[in-house]
């Protein structure tokens, strides 16, 4: 089953690696007998569906999540292996889509308005007055 990340990018099933193991968490005795935890791996460095620019972008942006160029996601939220497979596919697609998304434009710094500055200082003054009134009276 191919993974469609975006209309322009579909990861073929042949490039996806699956591993299954026993999951911890809820499920009672069911957990001890079924391999419902899912690990989905995709080798970003050797993928044939990525252009060189996309590969470099993903390798740079997902650097912390990669081990030898391989991106791995884990899903163990559900009791069902099938449901965990779907969750893992969604997680991988979301990570890759975020990694390939264009960078947000830099914020253009602006100054506070005079009115917002006055309101901020008035609120600080009111808070200061409230705290001053809570103090113990002077010994004078």
């Amino acid at each position: 089953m191919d993974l469609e990340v975006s209309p322009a990018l579909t990861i073929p099933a042949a490039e996806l690696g699956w591993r299954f193991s026993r999951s911890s968490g809820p499920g009672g005795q069911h957990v001890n007998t079924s391999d419902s935890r899912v690990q989905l791996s995709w080798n970003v460095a050797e993928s044939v569906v990525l252009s060189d620019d996309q590969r470099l972008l993903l390798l740079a942006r997902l650097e912390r999540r990669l081990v030898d160029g391989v991106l791995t996601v884990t899903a163990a939220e559900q009791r069902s292996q099938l449901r965990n497979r779907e969750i893992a596919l969604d997680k991988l697609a979301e990570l890759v889509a975020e990694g390939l998304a264009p960078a947000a434009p830099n914020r253009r710094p602006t100054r506070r308005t005079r009115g917002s500055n006055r309101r901020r200082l008035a609120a600080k003054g009111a808070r200061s007055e409230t705290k001053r009134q809570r103090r113990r009276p002077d010994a004078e």
Side-chain angles (χ1 to χ4, degrees):
M1 162 168 74
D2 294 347
L3 174 61
E4 184 174 336
V5 176
S6 69
L9 177 65
T10 301
I11 302 171
E15 289 190 11
L16 300 174
W18 296 94
R19 281 187 56 205
F20 307 101
S21 59
R22 294 206 172 115
S23 177
S24 63
Q29 293 175 346
H30 172 79
V31 168
N32 301 328
T33 59
S34 65
D35 292 342
S36 59
R37 181 171 171 255
V38 173
Q39 274 189 317
L40 176 59
S41 301
W42 178 52
N43 194 334
V44 177
E46 296 178 6
S47 178
V48 295
V49 295
L50 295 174
S51 68
D52 289 337
D53 293 337
Q54 289 176 325
R55 182 175 293 105
L56 291 174
L57 189 62
L58 280 176
L59 289 173
R61 288 191 178 167
L62 301 176
E63 181 180 20
R64 294 176 139 182
R65 293 198 56 122
L66 298 176
V67 177
D68 295 330
V70 177
L71 177 62
T72 303
V73 294
T74 304
E77 291 88 23
Q78 302 292 321
R79 284 181 58 172
S80 162
Q81 185 189 98
L82 180 62
R83 185 68 187 114
N84 283 333
R85 280 179 180 226
E86 294 167 356
I87 292 170
L89 285 168
D90 291 343
K91 283 183 181 181
L92 183 67
E94 187 177 326
L95 274 173
V96 173
E98 284 176 12
L100 291 175
N106 291 338
R107 189 184 83 79
R108 200 168 131 206
T110 57
R111 293 179 60 169
R112 289 190 193 112
T113 62
R114 195 177 307 152
S116 74
N117 208 28
R118 273 196 210 120
R119 287 189 298 274
R120 183 180 65 85
L121 292 175
K124 283 178 64 128
R127 183 80 178 137
S128 174
E129 182 62 25
T130 300
K131 289 190 167 203
R132 191 181 63 74
Q133 288 177 1
R134 289 181 189 158
R135 288 190 207 143
R136 181 168 284 164
D138 291 339
E140 298 174 5

